[in-house]
């Protein structure tokens, strides 16, 4: 039987630490907001959707490339 490495990324301490850091930074919206940060302005919703949408798009793109890389690596092993 082959010696299988841990493939679950959530079991890696560095990955877990980074996820906690990112989550903590994204949760403190009022604490980290600057004095001119107005949530009641007319364009506030649009700006937030564009900002967080760009983050989601970047993560989705990275996940798509990672999936393709892993898929090609598995196919090439066969």
């Amino acid at each position: 039987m082959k010696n299988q490495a841990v493939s679950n990324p959530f079991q890696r301490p560095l990955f877990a630490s980074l996820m906690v850091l990112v989550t903590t930074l994204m949760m403190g919206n009022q604490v980290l907001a600057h004095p001119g940060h107005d949530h009641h302005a007319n364009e506030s919703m649009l700006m937030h959707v564009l900002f967080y949408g760009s983050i989601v798009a970047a993560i989705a793109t990275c996940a798509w490339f990672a999936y393709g890389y892993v898929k090609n690596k598995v196919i090439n092993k066969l």
Side-chain angles (χ1 to χ4, degrees), residues 5-50:
V6 176
S7 62
N8 187 354
F10 293 104
Q11 293 179 352
R12 298 183 187 142
L14 178 63
F15 183 77
S17 299
L18 288 175
M19 290 303 294
V20 168
L21 176 67
V22 168
T23 304
T24 304
L25 288 174
M26 293 184 79
M27 288 175 60
N29 61 350
Q30 293 300 321
V31 176
L32 299 175
H34 54 83
H37 194 101
D38 184 13
H39 281 270
H40 301 292
N42 292 336
E43 67 276 351
S44 177
M45 180 61 75
L46 175 64
M47 291 296 117
H48 283 90
V49 168
L50 290 174

Side-chain angles (χ1 to χ4, degrees), residues 35-76:
H37 194 101
D38 184 13
H39 281 270
H40 301 292
N42 292 336
E43 67 276 351
S44 177
M45 180 61 75
L46 175 64
M47 291 296 117
H48 283 90
V49 168
L50 290 174
F51 176 72
Y52 289 115
S54 65
I55 293 173
V56 169
I59 291 171
T61 302
C62 291
W64 184 63
F65 278 109
Y67 174 75
Y69 176 77
V70 170
K71 185 177 176 182
N72 286 338
K73 195 168 188 176
V74 168
I75 289 174
N76 290 338

